[in-house]
Amino acid sequence: MNMTEKILAHGAHLESVHPGQLIMADLDMVLGNDITSPVAIREFPKFGKQHVFDKNKVALVPDHFVPNKDIKAAEQCACVRAFAKAEEIKNYFEVGRMGIEHALLPEKGLVTAGDVVIGADSHTCTYGALGAFSTGVGSTDMACGMATGKAWFKVPETIKVNLTGKLKKYVTGKDVILHLIGMIGVDGALYKSLEFTGPGVAALSMDDRFTISNMAIEAGGKAGIFLVDEKTLQYLKEAGAAEPKIFSADEDAEYSSQVDIDLSTIELTVSYPHLPENTHLVKDSSSIKIDQVVIGSCTNGRISDIRAAAEILKGRKVADGVRCIIIPATQKIWKEAMDEGLFDIFIDAGAVVSTPTCGPCLGGYMGILAEGERCVSTTNRNFVGRMGHVKSEVYLASPYTAAASAVTGYITEPAALKEVR
Amino acid sequence: MVREGKVFKYKDNVDTDVIIPARYLNSSDPKELASHCMEDIDKDFTKSVKDGDIIVAGRNFGCGSSREHAPIAIKESGISCVIATSFARIFYRNSINIGLPILECEEASREIEAGDEVRVDFSSGTITDITSGKVYHAEPFPPFMQDLINAGGLASYMKENY
């Protein structure tokens, strides 16, 4: 069996599983946010259980429209808060202690290798970076998970992504995943799991892996699972996560197909509107003028992303006519960035730093685009109207590219910037 | 069960952000969600959709976010069925879980045109384009999903079995 099959077999208490098999698996964590939880809370009583199956295995993270953007958002958060209190949910994270869910859960040690996790948010696949089977579901599945501790799955076919080589300077996990989505398309992994393996994994940081797993869904994937190595174990230990359950693919594991990527050949990549598969090289995009830059989100709001932005913006200025919005993904990352002096760099550059929120990524608030405006964003989707007006445009890129673009006002490679004197 | 209606036709990769834009997700009221359904790609949808009407689309329908608000908005609009070449997996799950009928049929997705009158027989998976006279057969659901549908959705199925 491959990793996906082994984790699912373990979760379903079966000797083995095969693609296409329908299984009922036990869940190690059930997650929801302020958008999806209210619907799940409404559905919860229909499952006929008095309480949640395990108050330690439910995580409720208001993050999309918090701090509350309007009265309706406030009402939704109030609903989640009341449920968390009534059910004594241990992992409810209030404003001031919260973060963007997919940066927060790993940081808090709430997911470990070998776990089976569902979340009512499509980017729940992020925890694949930790060697977990982790997938996005809807609110009814979340309600089911909270009530019963179970979810049904069709065991997916798996695509093996064999990584070799090492990334060049300024090239990150974001460029890798955009490149892969460009290769296989937005439904290239539809109903399938992606397994990231091969000698190239070792050189990828955990933050790079989180970014790559995070966007598995943008290829239609059910999961994006990395092999577990020393870096994973070190991360889990530092986060205080539960004992890892390490599953590695058998020699004769079966895959529906294989994709080979030599990391050393990947160049800075940007996805043009209005699909993540619409990839181009950053160096071929220098004529595209922009109005806004967003650096943050569950994809790229981790400390290495904020440091990357600071590395570029240090001693430089955001171009006239450009708004540069930086959103560290959790309170911990926020404090780290502040303590390292990165906020001084941002403020001196003319950028703004926001409290953790998903806000602009999904066109909620905190950076909405007007008609005709263009944004280079480190987020994950560039669909029609995603960040605002139907006739606005989102270009997806890495924090390095986004920060460099903020400096020139055009899509720009960091290496093309003038030296800081 | 047989339903009949007029077709709204869309292309590949219809994402959940255009089915129901996130700016309206500060509400989970089905009626409010339905009042904005598809508005970013089809301003006329909410004005002209009638009970029983059918959406026909291409590949990867419902890609993107996990928001159950998307199938809820479509169902509340009165749409009786979505026919597509393929569905994004979370949308597929959500539709089954909330009882929005969906059918995969590449030929029907390709050939049926906007405005056609179409009849769908869910028990057999037969799709009849009354306008063109052509008949199509959709992929049947696997038995487990048929059980979920017959039980009346995920909640009742789990209550009966777990």
Side-chain angles (χ1 to χ4, degrees):
Chain A
M1 291 188 287
N2 55 42
M3 279 186 280
T4 307
E5 291 157 2
K6 282 190 180 179
I7 300 169
L8 286 175
H10 180 261
H13 311 287
L14 296 168
E15 280 288 306
S16 66
V17 297
H18 55 83
Q21 185 177 350
L22 284 147
I23 58 163
M24 193 61 78
D26 283 341
L27 300 170
D28 296 291
M29 187 55 73
V30 179
L31 165 71
N33 58 46
D34 50 321
I35 305 290
T36 55
S37 301
V39 180
I41 291 165
R42 195 166 70 203
E43 294 298 307
F44 180 75
K46 297 181 188 166
F47 287 83
K49 306 283 182 194
Q50 291 292 312
H51 297 290
V52 297
F53 82 109
D54 185 336
K55 58 189 178 187
N56 298 310
K57 291 186 177 178
V58 174
L60 298 175
V61 190
D63 60 358
H64 278 55
F65 293 162
V66 304
N68 302 333
K69 84 175 181 96
D70 55 25
I71 295 169
K72 284 181 181 175
E75 303 278 353
Q76 296 208 115
C77 288
C79 160
V80 180
R81 189 178 298 117
F83 181 81
K85 193 171 179 208
E87 290 294 319
E88 299 174 340
I89 303 294
K90 196 178 153 221
N91 298 304
Y92 166 76
F93 296 97
E94 190 56 87
V95 168
R97 296 173 181 80
M98 54 73 75
I100 295 174
E101 51 196 322
H102 308 308
L104 188 70
L105 263 61
E107 177 187 295
K108 296 280 182 191
L110 296 178
V111 180
T112 195
D115 277 356
V116 179
V117 178
I118 61 166
D121 187 280
S122 60
H123 294 106
T124 303
C125 49
T126 308
Y127 320 133
L130 298 171
F133 178 89
S134 185
T135 193
V137 295
S139 296
T140 300
D141 277 313
M142 177 191 168
C144 177
M146 289 198 297
T148 66
K150 293 178 189 299
W152 64 270
F153 297 111
K154 187 167 154 188
V155 177
E157 291 186 325
T158 300
I159 300 172
K160 181 177 184 173
V161 184
N162 182 43
L163 303 174
T164 56
K166 215 176 152 185
L167 296 172
K168 289 187 288 205
K169 185 170 168 64
Y170 294 133
V171 180
T172 65
K174 184 60 164 285
D175 302 287
V176 177
I177 189 64
L178 293 180
H179 176 81
L180 176 64
I181 295 164
M183 280 171 81
I184 67 175
V186 290
D187 61 353
L190 190 60
Y191 306 130
K192 292 179 182 168
S193 173
L194 291 162
E195 279 187 22
F196 298 96
T197 181
V201 172
L204 291 173
S205 70
M206 287 311 296
D207 283 1
D208 279 328
R209 298 181 201 183
F210 282 124
T211 302
I212 292 170
S213 291
N214 173 273
M215 287 189 72
I217 179 69
E218 261 56 68
K222 187 167 191 160
I225 305 177
F226 269 86
L227 61 80
V228 175
D229 64 8
E230 281 306 314
K231 274 190 190 163
T232 328
L233 297 175
Q234 184 65 27
Y235 181 95
L236 291 169
K237 197 176 157 194
E238 282 171 16
E243 194 60 30
K245 297 158 285 203
I246 304 169
F247 298 101
S248 36
D250 292 326
E251 289 275 319
D252 61 348
E254 287 184 20
Y255 294 93
S256 62
S257 60
Q258 177 167 335
V259 178
D260 294 296
I261 297 178
D262 177 353
L263 297 171
S264 67
T265 63
I266 294 190
E267 307 234 20
L268 293 178
T269 303
V270 52
S271 291
Y272 288 14
H274 288 286
L275 281 176
E277 70 183 16
N278 194 9
T279 52
H280 295 261
L281 296 182
V282 173
K283 66 181 179 193
D284 298 336
S285 309
S286 58
S287 62
I288 298 170
K289 194 172 186 310
I290 60 163
D291 305 282
Q292 178 169 298
V293 165
V294 170
I295 297 170
S297 83
C298 61
T299 311
N300 278 122
R302 296 182 183 79
I303 190 65
S304 57
D305 300 314
I306 308 302
R307 285 180 189 142
E311 183 185 332
I312 300 302
L313 291 174
K314 189 171 185 177
R316 296 190 170 101
K317 295 277 183 206
V318 172
D320 279 346
V322 175
R323 296 100 59 184
C324 180
I325 302 163
I326 297 169
I327 313 177
T330 67
Q331 289 292 93
K332 180 169 181 260
I333 296 165
W334 214 89
K335 188 159 188 319
E336 271 182 286
M338 183 173 68
D339 290 347
E340 291 175 19
L342 309 187
F343 290 176
D344 291 330
I345 295 171
F346 297 143
I347 291 163
D348 289 346
V352 68
V353 183
S354 158
T355 186
T357 179
C358 304
C361 171
L362 74 165
Y365 70 137
M366 202 64 87
I368 303 302
L369 300 173
E371 180 173 358
E373 287 191 332
R374 294 197 186 105
C375 179
V376 175
S377 180
T378 69
T379 54
N380 42 59
R381 294 195 173 123
N382 55 357
F383 299 150
V384 170
R386 174 77 178 178
M387 199 177 275
H389 196 280
V390 182
K391 288 183 180 158
S392 63
E393 295 183 346
V394 175
Y395 293 76
L396 303 174
S398 75
Y400 279 122
T401 301
S405 305
V407 172
T408 62
Y410 292 83
I411 294 179
T412 301
E413 283 196 302
L417 293 176
K418 284 191 203 117
E419 288 291 321
V420 179
R421 275 177 293 171
Chain B
M1 195 174 66
V2 179
R3 297 293 299 268
E4 203 174 301
K6 186 165 67 79
V7 165
F8 290 83
K9 180 99 190 242
Y10 302 106
K11 294 178 179 163
D12 293 343
N13 302 313
V14 171
D15 62 75
T16 52
D17 276 280
V18 294
I19 295 172
I20 180 70
R23 58 185 178 273
Y24 302 119
L25 296 185
N26 54 4
S27 169
S28 59
D29 172 35
K31 286 203 164 47
E32 199 173 333
L33 296 172
S35 73
H36 299 292
C37 191
M38 311 301 277
E39 72 176 29
D40 282 1
I41 50 165
D42 183 359
K43 281 205 174 350
D44 296 327
F45 178 81
T46 53
K47 286 178 217 149
S48 52
V49 65
K50 289 194 181 61
D51 212 37
D53 282 353
I54 291 165
I55 287 177
V56 177
R59 281 162 45 208
N60 203 25
F61 186 87
C63 62
S65 146
S66 69
R67 63 189 72 154
E68 205 160 288
H69 312 63
I72 290 172
I74 291 175
K75 192 181 176 194
E76 187 65 24
S77 300
I79 289 291
S80 64
C81 177
V82 183
I83 301 166
T85 303
S86 61
F87 292 90
R89 62 159 283 275
I90 306 177
F91 185 90
Y92 185 98
R93 266 186 103 91
N94 288 346
S95 299
I96 303 269
N97 286 344
I98 70 156
L100 170 70
I102 53 173
L103 292 172
E104 284 186 343
C105 183
E106 187 175 358
E107 211 187 345
S109 297
R110 205 173 46 236
E111 295 180 358
I112 293 176
E113 290 181 23
D116 284 6
E117 279 293 323
V118 165
R119 185 190 307 131
V120 180
D121 182 339
F122 294 110
S123 54
S124 62
T126 308
I127 301 164
T128 309
D129 186 334
I130 300 165
T131 310
S132 72
K134 282 199 76 168
V135 177
Y136 309 91
H137 296 282
E139 293 287 325
F141 286 110
F144 170 81
M145 274 169 224
Q146 198 59 57
D147 290 347
L148 267 186
I149 294 162
N150 294 343
L154 182 63
S156 5
Y157 176 86
M158 291 301 285
K159 244 162 106 171
E160 281 168 28
N161 295 283
Y162 289 90

